[in-house]
Amino acid sequence: MTHPLTVAVLGPGGTGGLLAALLSRSGHRVICLAGETTADTLRRTGISVRSRQFGDFTAAVDADTELRAPVDACLVTVKHTALDAALTRVPPAALGDALLVPLLNGVEHPATLRARYRPDRVAPAVIRVESTRTAPGVIEHGSPFTEVDLAGDAVPRARLDALAGHLSASGTTARVAGDETAALWAKMAFLAPFALLTTRYGVQLGTARSRHRDELEALVAETAAISRACGGPADPAQALARYDAFPPATKSSMQRDAEAGRPLELDAIGGALLRAAERHGVAVPVTERLVRELAAADHSFD
């Protein structure tokens, strides 16, 4: 390691808490940004991780309700439904020259962030992981992998390479994606059918891919068509093969939110799909129906 980083983590939940703990364990200074109660807990107890991949460990972190110290990077790991409120914890002047790395679902948030912060420092990333916060500072990491793709077409490549190197050294599998649009749509095209179908029927992936196979195939075809129209990758057969390879008990984060009574990221996923489909004239009848049915049950969607 060349020199330790100082990294802020906005939203130390399942994803953010895991990354915060891994970076801290690797010798970096980590500042978790959260509400006063959570920040106080993290300052006192650190973050405890239970993980098949990384083992069980506890890492010390700093915590605050707002970014006040200079950092090298700020990881944004809140849900879309909490993004606007959470960003008040990261004043643009305090962020300065640091990288802003959103690890959010969807494809529309980079434009929102670039309107608020330095456009050439917003580095959208996608993460593939199953990790849950069971209590403040307590993380259950269930997947045998933690993979991060960093992007940002206008961000200096050396900054992205350096951060990817530090993330990899901390235990994740991190790389720099060559094309931001392709990276975001690759995640979206895989996530959306999985999230919409499992949440609509309240079933695990194994049941969704067998009992609702026709709908899954239709959703995959529709999202692939939207991705292709937007300049992203489109490989329906590969997507279906990945679903079939996942453990049957796998749940989507949207489904977990529905089960817990939390607001759904329906607008960031389903809404964004429908808006992109409309812009490009792509017919998506199955996606439209599922989003409509989910919206009827989720009063946070407008």
Side-chain angles (χ1 to χ4, degrees), residues 3-78:
H3 66 88
L5 299 180
T6 299
V7 179
V9 176
L10 178 62
T15 296
L18 176 64
L19 294 177
L22 290 172
L23 286 166
S24 174
R25 186 173 71 162
S26 295
H28 303 287
R29 182 191 179 199
V30 176
I31 306 169
C32 292
L33 304 175
E36 186 58 60
T37 301
T38 296
D40 182 61
T41 299
L42 296 181
R43 282 192 291 264
R44 288 186 292 104
T45 67
I47 297 177
S48 295
V49 175
R50 296 187 60 185
S51 168
R52 286 187 298 155
Q53 183 181 10
F54 303 116
D56 298 351
F57 67 97
T58 299
V61 295
D62 293 333
D64 206 338
T65 58
E66 183 178 309
L67 182 63
R68 309 175 206 275
V71 296
D72 297 292
C74 177
L75 310 183
V76 181
T77 54
V78 296

Side-chain angles (χ1 to χ4, degrees), residues 168-190:
S168 292
S170 76
T172 73
T173 301
R175 70 182 187 94
V176 177
D179 180 271
E180 177 181 317
T181 298
L184 292 174
W185 273 104
K187 172 76 178 284
M188 180 74 144
F190 176 79

Side-chain angles (χ1 to χ4, degrees), residues 13 20 26 63 65 72 75 119 147 153 167 169 194 203-204 215 219 222 225 229-230 240 245 249 264 277 288 291:
S26 295
T65 58
D72 297 292
L75 310 183
E147 301 170 349
D153 295 343
L167 287 169
F194 171 38
V203 297
Q204 298 172 336
E215 284 174 285
L219 283 169
E222 290 178 4
C230 292
L240 287 169
L264 306 184
E288 286 180 349
V291 171

Side-chain angles (χ1 to χ4, degrees), residues 73-186:
C74 177
L75 310 183
V76 181
T77 54
V78 296
K79 295 277 190 179
H80 259 283
T81 50
L83 181 61
D84 288 344
L87 290 177
T88 62
R89 302 190 191 281
V90 185
L95 187 67
D97 185 54
L99 292 184
L100 188 76
V101 185
L103 294 113
L104 280 72
N105 295 324
V107 295
E108 296 176 336
H109 56 275
T112 299
L113 295 172
R114 288 185 174 122
R116 182 182 180 100
Y117 302 98
R118 280 189 58 171
D120 61 343
R121 293 296 183 267
V122 175
V126 298
I127 185 166
R128 290 174 290 277
V129 68
E130 184 183 4
S131 186
T132 304
R133 187 193 86 153
T134 58
V138 181
I139 307 297
E140 295 274 355
H141 172 222
S143 58
F145 52 83
T146 306
E147 301 170 349
V148 179
D149 292 345
L150 292 169
D153 295 343
V155 178
R157 178 61 185 249
R159 297 282 298 268
L160 296 175
D161 287 336
L163 182 57
H166 287 299
L167 287 169
S168 292
S170 76
T172 73
T173 301
R175 70 182 187 94
V176 177
D179 180 271
E180 177 181 317
T181 298
L184 292 174
W185 273 104

